[in-house]
């Protein structure tokens, strides 16, 4: 039954145009595998990319999310919607759609994002997977950019692009986050995640084999932090293609994170530093120490003693030279220091800086 095991099966109900089997793909080269890949005249060619969309009680946003996938310039995709026991008519609406590239999995009870994402991963047929939250949107060329980038680097485990923002109504909003200004191949992403980097999961296209190699999402984490934990484990497995183009539109609305979100992430980081491959543990502990210094600087920005906190951060980062070389982490360091200095009351009082 694949890496999810038999325990998941009772929680699923097949629906829509395709009742999905959660078994593993047939062995490569077997007759069953050839049948899997065969282009049946009544069924579209096997997809290259699988867009996995967990959802619960957000039908209006979901309609826009699915439409953004259907408008992709890259056409070899499938959508796997995993309905987490919605009560707003989501399942009936999807079942009424007429699109052979859209499949529906239905949960019998509300199980959370990690189980629904894993269910979509297990059902996916594409070589690459993208996890799209049901309230976010893909620009029309997102999949085309992702697939071209990862196909050009066969050893890469994933791609990562920029994320823009839209408001609750879907109108453009300020706040573009761009990982790099020009394309780069970047390794050891786990260091960046341990240090601070937290990216929306929908900005990445993952190689399915890499996801399966680490067992998908950790189902003991029901909601928040599952993407961070995934990157911590996945980041040891290979390089990531960083791209400057916008590949996701993140919707800002009334959804809030729990009050203990940052504490949860800190727990995940410390757990990883203590349990990762022994060859990386010393480096991981140094990165966590640098993270603590960065967190202290961010939280207490502009308060007395900030120059000492900056010196502490720089001293700890100096023991992690890979962070300074990383396009993801080096910008976090520079931004935190600039923000702190800009808020320093003594520096602000100097001639020529008043009012800034």
């Amino acid at each position: 039954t694949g890496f999810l095991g038999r325990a998941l099966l009772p929680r699923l109900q097949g629906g829509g145009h395709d009742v999905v089997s959660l078994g593993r793909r047939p062995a490569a080269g077997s007759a069953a595998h050839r049948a899997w890949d065969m282009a049946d005249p009544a069924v579209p060619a096997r997809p290259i990319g699988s867009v996995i969309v967990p959802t619960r009680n957000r039908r209006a946003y979901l309609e826009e999310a699915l439409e953004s996938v259907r408008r992709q310039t890259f056409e070899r995709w499938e959508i796997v919607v995993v309905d987490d026991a919605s009560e707003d008519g989501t399942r009936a609406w999807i079942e009424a759609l007429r699109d052979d590239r859209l499949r529906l999995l239905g949960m019998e009870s509300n199980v959370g994002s990690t189980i629904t994402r894993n269910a979509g991963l297990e059902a996916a047929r594409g070589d690459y997977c993208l996890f799209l939250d049901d309230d976010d949107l893909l620009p029309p060329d997102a999949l085309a950019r992702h697939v071209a980038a990862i196909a050009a680097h066969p050893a890469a485990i994933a791609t990562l692009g920029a994320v823009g923002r839209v408001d609750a109504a879907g109108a453009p909003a300020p706040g573009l986050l761009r990982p790099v200004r020009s394309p780069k191949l970047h390794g050891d992403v786990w260091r960046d995640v341990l240090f601070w980097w937290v990216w929306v999961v929908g900005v990445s296209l993952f190689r399915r084999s890499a996801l399966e190699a680490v067992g998908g999402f950790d189902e003991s984490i029901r909601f928040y932090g599952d993407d961070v934990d995934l990157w911590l484990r996945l980041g040891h497995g290979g390089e990531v293609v960083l791209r400057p183009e916008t590949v996701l539109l993140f919707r800002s609305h009334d959804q809030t994170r729990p009050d203990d979100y940052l504490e949860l992430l800190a727990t995940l980081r410390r757990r990883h530093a203590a349990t990762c491959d022994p060859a990386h543990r010393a480096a991981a502990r140094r990165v966590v120490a640098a993270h603590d210094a960065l967190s202290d600087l961010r939280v207490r920005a502009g308060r007395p003693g900030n120059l000492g906190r900056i010196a502490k951060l720089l001293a700890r980062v100096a023991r992690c030279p890979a962070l300074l070389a990383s396009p993801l982490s080096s910008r976090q360091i520079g931004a935190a220091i600039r923000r702190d200095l800009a808020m320093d009351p003594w520096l602000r009082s100097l001639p020529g800086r008043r009012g800034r």
Side-chain angles (χ1 to χ4, degrees), residues 58-68 93 134:
R58 291 206 286 209
R59 176 178 158 182
Y61 286 154
L62 177 65
E63 291 186 28
E64 295 180 30
L66 297 187
E67 185 59 28
S68 75
W93 172 74
D134 59 0

Side-chain angles (χ1 to χ4, degrees), residues 30-158:
S30 68
H33 186 270
R34 289 193 294 274
W36 178 280
D37 280 337
M38 189 177 299
D40 187 313
V43 180
R46 186 174 68 86
I48 291 176
S50 297
V51 181
I52 299 164
V53 189
T55 188
R56 175 171 169 80
N57 292 336
R58 291 206 286 209
R59 176 178 158 182
Y61 286 154
L62 177 65
E63 291 186 28
E64 295 180 30
L66 297 187
E67 185 59 28
S68 75
V69 180
R70 296 164 88 172
R71 291 179 178 175
Q72 292 298 298
T73 57
F74 180 84
E75 296 181 349
R76 294 284 300 278
W77 53 259
E78 68 170 352
I79 303 174
V80 181
V81 177
V82 188
D83 177 39
D84 196 8
S86 293
E87 300 167 338
D88 62 351
T90 289
R91 191 173 305 185
W93 172 74
I94 294 175
E95 288 176 339
L97 296 177
R98 294 292 178 261
D99 192 331
D100 291 330
R101 295 179 293 178
L102 189 153
R103 294 184 293 148
L104 171 65
L105 296 178
M107 294 293 175
E108 295 180 343
S109 60
N110 177 214
V111 295
S113 62
T114 50
I115 291 176
T116 52
R117 284 172 172 170
N118 275 345
L121 173 59
E122 182 75 0
R125 297 179 296 176
D127 297 322
Y128 312 118
C129 294
L130 186 148
F131 297 94
L132 179 65
D133 288 345
D134 59 0
D135 54 345
D136 294 338
L137 306 168
L138 295 181
D141 58 356
L143 288 180
R145 292 186 181 280
H146 276 308
V147 172
I150 199 167
H153 300 279
I157 58 173

Side-chain angles (χ1 to χ4, degrees), residues 221-244:
I221 306 170
R222 188 172 179 190
F223 287 106
Y224 293 96
D226 56 332
D227 48 355
V228 173
D229 173 79
L230 176 72
W231 270 115
L232 284 173
R233 292 179 288 114
L234 194 67
H236 292 274
E239 294 179 310
V240 177
V241 185
L242 306 181
R243 301 289 305 185

Side-chain angles (χ1 to χ4, degrees), residues 18-37:
D18 188 2
V19 177
V20 178
S21 167
L22 294 185
R24 280 223 183 261
R25 285 158 195 76
S30 68
H33 186 270
R34 289 193 294 274
W36 178 280
D37 280 337

Side-chain angles (χ1 to χ4, degrees), residues 199-271:
W199 220 251
V200 184
V201 70
V203 298
S204 293
L205 184 74
F206 298 94
R207 198 175 296 277
R208 180 169 50 77
S209 58
L211 292 169
E212 292 178 341
V214 298
F217 291 88
D218 181 351
E219 294 184 8
S220 70
I221 306 170
R222 188 172 179 190
F223 287 106
Y224 293 96
D226 56 332
D227 48 355
V228 173
D229 173 79
L230 176 72
W231 270 115
L232 284 173
R233 292 179 288 114
L234 194 67
H236 292 274
E239 294 179 310
V240 177
V241 185
L242 306 181
R243 301 289 305 185
E245 301 89 1
T246 301
V247 293
L248 182 75
L249 299 176
F250 176 83
R251 191 187 300 266
S252 300
H253 54 92
D254 57 359
Q255 179 176 339
T256 59
R257 289 171 172 167
D259 294 338
D260 62 349
Y261 177 68
L262 293 181
E263 181 181 342
L264 168 64
L265 296 189
T267 300
L268 291 175
R269 289 185 171 100
R270 294 184 187 283
R271 183 181 75 177

Side-chain angles (χ1 to χ4, degrees), residues 315-328:
R316 292 189 177 182
V317 167
R319 301 186 64 205
C320 312
L323 296 179
L324 290 172
S326 165
L328 300 177

